[in-house]
Amino acid sequence: MSTIKVEKYRPKFHFSPAAEWMNDPNGLVYFNGEYHLFYQHHPYGTDFGAIHWGHAVSRDLMTWEHLPIALAPDEKGMIFSGSAVVDWNDTTGFFGGKPGLVAIFTHHNPGLTLKESQSIAYSKDSGRTWFKYEGNPVVTSDTYHDFRDPKVFWHEETKRWVMVLACGQTLCLYHSPNLKEWIFCSEFGKGIGSHDAVWECPDLFALPVDGDRTKRKWVLLVSIGNEPHIKEGSRTQYFTGHFDGRTFVPDEASQTIRWLDYGRDNYAGVSWSDIPEEDGRRIYIGWLSNWKYANTTPTEGWRGAMTIPRELTLELKNGKAVLIQRPVRELEKIRTPLVETEGKAVNELNLLLKDQQLETYEIVAEFEPSQGIDSFGFKLRTSEQEETVAGYSVKDSAVFVDRTRSGTVDFHEHFPGKHQAVLPPDLQCLQLRLIVDRASVELFANDGLIVITDLIYPSSSSLGLSFFCNGKNEIPYKVRINKL
């Protein structure tokens, strides 16, 4: 087990690599009591380079054990993004009738005209040792230049494995009886969704609607790469609809582009496979960065982190199924309660906050906006020169995170800025949940209806916290603060 020294900007409770470069989460799978997190890893530098699969495991999603590199480049290319599953019934024949882990990944060889193909590897010892299949690659194409990021799952209704694969600016779906032989099923994406850039890192899964397991919809996540003319950089959209094992059919709500996150720093996220049925959650994690500036962020010796793991649910809002995100309940295990109060007077709240010198913490707050208030919220990680502002603009009917003065922001022209998302103007009560780590802010508004995820790089001495309410000195509030 490797140790990580405390470094400036190193997250306290978000996953980060022990050293060097990290991007997309890969191979998320739960097996024998462990959450496996593989990730795109360049072990010889802090920039994107010769990509391997790094590896870590956890039993609680908060503390992680770093393991040796799982998959290294070979004569077929680098090891790009992909997924992992438990082959419970040994459909591959790799495990002598017992269950085992199979990783499905993209071989990337820029020296080839068609540079990307899909391959598999397997492990008989809970992911500690991996063997690449001698019949690789298992899926190829003579059509798509960008052909990567396979997400695979078992479809119980058809008793087949399903692969959803990014193919340029569409997705291709395949099925297989054994993870080795794949048949093309269908293509999705033409004429729907955002096509600002190449599609990447898809995920496809079913969720109950409002917790009713007799009413399920399928959710399709699609990440969108970065192009110079797109100010937001890389981000993720989602669709809801029906899937029969071969074809995904979007519903009416999916005719409108819907974003998973309205911040700048949640990309390439996917969900864990094989969460036990008695748990029942769909747990997601994303790369806490953006291809606009991922290679220039001001960390030293390491680069890249993951979002807080999140539970995904579908809930009906105005008759439409909407994807909701909430931090996983395991976060409660690292809480230390600090402040719990309610009232109306802004000055009284700030008297409680002024002595709190905090680096990593959680705020859970409820407010009742009223006429005469322009905006309100919290100033995080403050000093005389620095602040990150998170709150609600009544004028814009929007929650926001403003990192313009959040600390070091000059490493890229597109890093400083204010990111916001509209909430209904008839809002009667606003709930804000803020998760603050050494170099990130994650805002969950109205119980996960809207999420904004942003990196920040404040000075280690910027530890102040305050509340503001522009327009009035009173607003009904309930506030809880926990150290994390």
Side-chain angles (χ1 to χ4, degrees):
M1 178 177 176
S2 60
T3 57
I4 299 179
K5 63 180 181 179
V6 176
E7 300 159 303
K8 188 177 182 182
Y9 306 134
R10 168 77 74 178
K12 185 174 282 188
F13 55 89
H14 289 74
F15 179 82
S16 60
E20 310 302 350
W21 168 271
M22 180 184 78
N23 57 290
D24 308 357
N26 299 150
L28 305 181
V29 63
Y30 183 88
F31 187 54
N32 287 344
E34 294 178 323
Y35 295 92
H36 290 262
L37 169 60
F38 302 89
Y39 54 91
Q40 296 285 271
H41 182 44
H42 179 206
Y44 311 117
T46 56
D47 297 331
F48 183 84
I51 294 297
H52 300 54
W53 269 27
H55 189 196
V57 292
S58 174
R59 291 187 177 271
D60 62 5
L61 292 168
M62 293 292 117
T63 55
W64 294 88
E65 177 186 355
H66 290 268
L67 295 178
I69 287 169
L71 297 172
D74 55 32
E75 70 282 358
K76 293 182 175 67
M78 291 185 279
I79 312 298
F80 269 24
S81 290
S83 53
V85 294
V86 182
D87 185 8
W88 292 105
N89 297 315
D90 194 21
T91 63
T92 55
F94 293 150
F95 306 111
K98 299 178 181 180
L101 295 179
V102 179
I104 308 95
F105 59 92
T106 297
H107 261 124
H108 176 90
N109 188 336
L112 300 178
T113 303
L114 293 168
K115 61 185 179 182
E116 293 176 334
S117 58
Q118 317 318 313
S119 295
I120 62 175
Y122 58 96
S123 172
K124 299 180 179 181
D125 58 359
S126 295
R128 271 55 179 182
T129 307
W130 289 87
F131 302 93
K132 291 170 185 166
Y133 175 50
E134 61 183 14
N136 284 335
V138 296
V139 181
T140 60
S141 172
D142 57 6
T143 302
Y144 300 101
H145 183 68
D146 294 297
F147 184 68
R148 58 179 173 266
D149 310 338
K151 183 61 191 286
V152 169
F153 62 94
W154 178 258
H155 188 251
E156 182 62 27
E157 291 79 1
T158 58
K159 305 293 184 189
R160 294 272 177 151
W161 297 101
V162 172
M163 176 190 293
V164 55
L165 189 65
C167 301
Q169 289 198 21
T170 63
L171 303 178
C172 293
L173 291 106
Y174 298 78
H175 67 76
S176 170
N178 56 17
L179 294 169
K180 297 182 285 189
E181 299 159 331
W182 293 90
I183 298 171
F184 175 81
C185 298
S186 61
E187 189 172 13
F188 170 80
K190 293 180 179 177
I192 191 171
S194 170
H195 292 267
D196 286 342
V198 65
W199 286 19
E200 295 185 313
C201 301
D203 197 358
L204 179 61
F205 49 86
L207 287 177
V209 179
D210 286 336
D212 186 347
R213 294 191 174 275
T214 67
K215 298 177 181 178
R216 298 197 314 165
K217 274 186 176 285
W218 285 80
V219 178
L220 178 62
L221 305 182
V222 182
S223 289
I224 309 292
N226 173 51
E227 290 289 347
H229 65 285
I230 305 301
K231 68 176 182 178
E232 293 87 357
S234 48
R235 49 189 172 159
T236 302
Q237 62 183 327
Y238 76 92
F239 305 89
T240 50
H242 173 72
F243 179 66
D244 62 1
R246 298 179 61 91
T247 304
F248 177 79
V249 180
D251 57 19
E252 182 180 353
S254 296
Q255 303 307 311
T256 300
I257 295 173
R258 295 186 288 178
W259 300 110
L260 184 75
D261 198 304
Y262 291 87
R264 293 292 185 268
D265 297 305
N266 179 7
Y267 189 65
V270 286
S271 62
W272 263 272
S273 170
D274 294 281
I275 299 291
E277 189 173 344
E278 58 269 24
D279 181 313
R281 292 179 293 173
R282 177 63 55 171
I283 301 174
Y284 162 99
I285 199 168
W287 177 38
L288 188 57
S289 196
N290 190 308
W291 280 120
K292 270 293 185 214
Y293 43 73
N295 280 285
T296 60
T297 53
T299 57
E300 296 181 4
W302 64 279
R303 186 173 273 138
M306 298 299 179
T307 68
I308 201 76
R310 304 168 182 186
E311 180 182 355
L312 303 182
T313 61
L314 276 181
E315 299 181 11
L316 286 179
K317 306 292 182 183
N318 299 317
K320 296 179 180 179
V322 176
L323 194 60
I324 305 295
Q325 302 173 69
R326 300 182 180 98
V328 292
R329 59 178 179 251
E330 285 82 354
L331 186 70
E332 299 171 6
K333 297 179 181 178
I334 63 170
R335 282 177 177 164
T336 302
L338 294 177
V339 172
E340 185 167 359
T341 186
E342 61 180 287
K344 291 184 178 180
V346 172
N347 291 339
E348 289 182 7
L349 179 55
N350 275 323
L351 280 173
L352 288 173
L353 299 182
K354 73 172 187 176
D355 294 328
Q356 301 291 339
Q357 296 291 295
L358 297 174
E359 185 180 42
T360 59
Y361 52 96
E362 172 190 36
I363 301 173
V364 181
E366 293 183 5
F367 304 96
E368 297 177 20
S370 59
Q371 289 186 344
I373 295 175
D374 177 62
S375 62
F376 58 90
F378 294 92
K379 295 183 179 181
L380 316 167
R381 297 298 307 271
T382 67
S383 62
E384 289 187 6
Q385 294 79 30
E386 298 176 359
E387 63 180 16
T388 299
V389 186
Y392 185 74
S393 168
V394 177
K395 175 173 61 73
D396 297 328
S397 299
V399 290
F400 67 87
V401 173
D402 187 341
R403 66 180 181 190
T404 307
R405 299 180 58 239
S406 59
T408 301
V409 298
D410 60 357
F411 56 89
H412 195 279
E413 60 178 323
H414 290 292
F415 186 81
K418 180 179 180 180
H419 312 135
Q420 65 182 37
V422 171
L423 269 177
D426 60 349
L427 192 69
Q428 299 299 312
C429 179
L430 175 74
Q431 190 231 29
L432 295 179
R433 186 175 181 184
L434 292 158
I435 308 293
V436 181
D437 206 338
R438 288 194 176 110
S440 64
V441 173
E442 291 163 282
L443 182 155
F444 299 83
N446 281 20
D447 206 23
L449 178 63
I450 296 290
V451 181
I452 298 175
T453 303
D454 276 338
L455 287 168
I456 56 172
Y457 295 101
S459 301
S460 55
S461 58
S462 293
L463 298 173
L465 170 64
S466 63
F467 178 72
F468 70 94
C469 183
N470 295 325
K472 281 188 177 181
N473 291 320
E474 289 190 349
I475 181 174
Y477 60 76
K478 295 180 180 178
V479 174
R480 286 186 292 119
I481 300 174
N482 302 304
K483 184 178 180 181
L484 298 177

